[in-house]
Amino acid sequence: MQMFREEVVRLLSDLVQLDKQELAMDLETPPSSEMGDFAFPCFKLAKKRRQNPAAIAADLVNTLPCSNYFEKIEAKGPYVNFFCNRELLANTTIKNILTQGKAYGQQTLGKGKTIVIDFSAPNIAKPFGVGHLRSTVIGNSLYRLYQALGYNCVGINHLGDWGTQFGKLIVAYMQWGDERKLEKQPITYLYELYVRFHSEAEKDPRLDEEARAWFKKLEDGDAEARALWQRFRDLSLTEFKRIYNLLGVEFDSYQGESFYNEMLDGTVDLIEAKGLASISEGALIVDLSEENLPPCLLRKQDGATLYATRDLCAAIYRQQHYNFTKMLYVVGADQALHFQQVFTVLQKMGYEWAENCVHVPFGLIRYKDGKMSTRRGTLVFLEDVLTKATELAKEIIQEKNPGLANKEHVARQVGIGAVIFGDLSNDRIKNIEFDWDKVLDFTGETAPYVQYAHARICSILRKAESWPAPYDATLLTNAEEQNVVRLLARFSDVIFRAAQTYKPSLIARYVLDVAAAFNSFYHQCPVLQAEEASRNARLALIDAVRQVLVNGLYLLGISAPEEM
Ligand code: ARG
């Protein structure tokens, strides 16, 4: 589509006084194919020329030069609609996909630019909640989307590995700790200790004081405190990494909150030197009342730093270290205020780059029904979710395709894919109710549905002994074929929009549409049974669909098994 878009811009820019880039941005995709492939809205011009937009549209159509890229250009109300030359579109699209393979859809827009993506960031010794799963899959998808746009991406896991909870944990471990239990299931066990600490501290408030004292020791570098903290961190991280492995997620950095420990004084000094800090009720704060925000806390009464202090420090460090053009924080919507405060303080400090920091919020997720094991209490643990999904997928595969080789592996790809898709296919900001029956349904709007379309194509291609062969894509003229081609051609546009709006759901929607378009094509048009010329054109078409499904699922962080 890019080549056609450029042609539209070229044709129009001779006639209207608009910047080419602006023109390209203004182009819309009409809601249905009967209205063409691109629509140019004339409202801006109408304002400029003080003319009726429909009159401008009609005028433009009459004066636009001919181009063999388009078979029709027509005015429709205030829009000029462009219809791509079908043969040219089919030819270039299929050829591009089959020659570019995995790279199809990739762009160069972000070349030379760095984007930092802060995502996942579970807290050590606090429950690795399903909220962290959301952040992990959304962040991972944004990472891949921006990479596809050509950006240099830096994925940072800002681990919650510092804070008063470590004081509590040290106290709890010293009092009730059991080395063997810690080794065996660090995350669960540390959480148990954490919960126990809270219930005992209710009865005995001295425990809280002790915990504060231990955290202070930790901040001051006390060897015993450090050693315990290090152990908790290492053990937890090993477990987290197992989960990331299951999900296929990687990070460029695990510099969590503790990493900034040595730099915090410097950050606080800097804020004070800029005259932004003041004392309120014994605590050091940045007053944000002018911005209508509650104050940002830098230091508690006892001198201990806070989550916000560490985020301020981290942002400044990352700007210096990575020189990013953009930094995304993929964190639940419940932290919106925190990020507003942090970004505002950065602005007040005079950092222009503060406006390139974006909080990418998301809603809550709830796992419906009793299929989840409750043996670990009311809390849903991420690993249990993934294990459960894999088990359910295995049952389904057992039923549908008992002879499948690699059942275990495929079940994992399908089960975990279903969990990821069940998350990403929803509007990011909405709360989701996660329903096992729905996400694993092979006929619903699910990962298995898309994966199944892909596996089906692989099976057809395996049977087509003569493929790959020379083909003529201009033979793809019927409505189903053209519908598929048109969708495939849109891939890079969709990537661009999904990245720009931080919405992986657009890619999820897109792969569903591609799978559905393939299914209705396959329902109408024989492939292997068609006569040779048409068979080869259709094989080329479905091979292209296969590639785009693989690439699209990859952007979501989902694998595409060849058989299932
Ligand atoms: N650990 C935090 C939490 O679980 C999320 C951290 C997000 N990243 C950040 N830079 N604040 O709530």
Side-chain angles (χ1 to χ4, degrees), residues 118-124 126-127 131-132 135 156-161 257 307 310-311 314 318 328-332 334-335 338-339 342:
D118 176 320
F119 69 111
S120 194
N123 301 315
I124 282 160
K126 273 197 200 166
H132 295 116
S135 173
I156 301 183
N157 195 331
H158 188 76
L159 286 176
D161 59 1
E257 295 186 43
Y307 183 48
R310 296 187 279 276
D311 255 333
R318 291 170 184 175
L328 308 182
Y329 293 87
V330 186
V331 186
D334 53 338
Q335 291 191 29
H338 164 76
F339 286 106
V342 169

